Amino acid sequence: MVGGSYERLFKSSWIATAGCISFLVGLFLVAPKQKEEPQTGRKKRTEGIRALHTKIAGLTHENPDGTSRQFIIEQCRPYERVSLEHDPENEHDENAVKVMHGDGSQIGFIPAHLAEEFAAKRKRGFTFDAYIDEIFEGDDELLFAGLTVFVISPECRGTDAQEFIKRTIREMKEHDKEGNA
């Protein structure tokens, strides 16, 4: 059973997390950089890095090899880094993106509406860095998890991106501590 610092008041429903999601999205969005297009002189919007919060989909299903995703997420901790892997062979969605634990086991999927956006960005050279940001129990005692995904443009890689991610994770931990105090 999940306990300790990440047992939350969010247990009853996803609706209860709406305020937290709004806070995270508002707090961690980075204003886009502006640059002029040489031919027109108009301002062109280019993305740098942004953080978004989403749920991990498919946590109640088993993996194809029979392993329980519920067992896998039970072993995870908030702020743990996970990897995102495109799953082009997925029979339901050619844009499917798996959320993978560090040991190589599948935790779940990015929701389909984001997977489509990620596919388009991946083709344009964007990268993604993801962290579990909450684990909580639903009404039916099943575990669910939130994920913060950093969407990083090709122009924003390197030290600046890593510093932004470290600072954001640190701020999330501090905010979490204040909420549990």
Side-chain angles (χ1 to χ4, degrees), residues 114-150:
L114 288 176
E116 184 176 356
E117 175 189 337
F118 286 8
K121 288 189 179 298
R122 188 175 47 251
K123 288 176 185 173
R124 295 188 355 239
F126 283 73
T127 57
F128 308 91
D129 205 359
Y131 296 81
I132 292 173
D133 58 29
E134 62 181 337
I135 300 170
F136 57 96
E137 204 175 282
D139 289 337
D140 49 9
E141 296 187 9
L142 291 172
L143 296 178
F144 296 91
L147 191 69
T148 295
V149 180
F150 295 93

Side-chain angles (χ1 to χ4, degrees), residues 23-162:
F23 170 79
L24 285 171
V25 170
L27 181 64
F28 302 124
L29 285 179
V30 173
K33 297 175 187 174
Q34 299 287 325
K35 67 180 183 183
E36 288 193 6
E37 292 181 2
Q39 299 153 338
T40 64
R42 293 181 303 187
K43 296 280 181 175
K44 180 179 177 185
R45 183 178 164 145
T46 59
E47 294 180 71
I49 183 172
R50 70 179 174 126
L52 61 90
H53 177 83
T54 189
K55 67 178 184 173
I56 299 175
L59 281 169
T60 59
H61 299 282
E62 288 189 347
N63 286 320
D65 66 2
T67 56
S68 165
R69 293 180 186 165
Q70 287 288 297
F71 177 77
I72 296 166
I73 198 64
E74 196 172 282
Q75 308 309 309
C76 296
R77 298 291 171 254
Y79 315 112
E80 183 174 341
R81 187 176 187 186
V82 294
S83 62
L84 304 179
E85 292 182 11
H86 180 221
D87 184 11
E89 304 301 319
N90 186 293
E91 63 186 69
H92 304 289
D93 183 359
E94 66 185 22
N95 295 318
V97 177
K98 297 189 283 188
V99 179
M100 304 295 289
H101 188 263
D103 67 5
S105 56
Q106 183 179 352
I107 300 169
F109 287 94
I110 293 291
H113 70 282
L114 288 176
E116 184 176 356
E117 175 189 337
F118 286 8
K121 288 189 179 298
R122 188 175 47 251
K123 288 176 185 173
R124 295 188 355 239
F126 283 73
T127 57
F128 308 91
D129 205 359
Y131 296 81
I132 292 173
D133 58 29
E134 62 181 337
I135 300 170
F136 57 96
E137 204 175 282
D139 289 337
D140 49 9
E141 296 187 9
L142 291 172
L143 296 178
F144 296 91
L147 191 69
T148 295
V149 180
F150 295 93
V151 181
I152 307 163
S153 75
E155 303 87 32
C156 194
R157 292 199 185 120
T159 305
D160 290 342
Q162 292 306 313

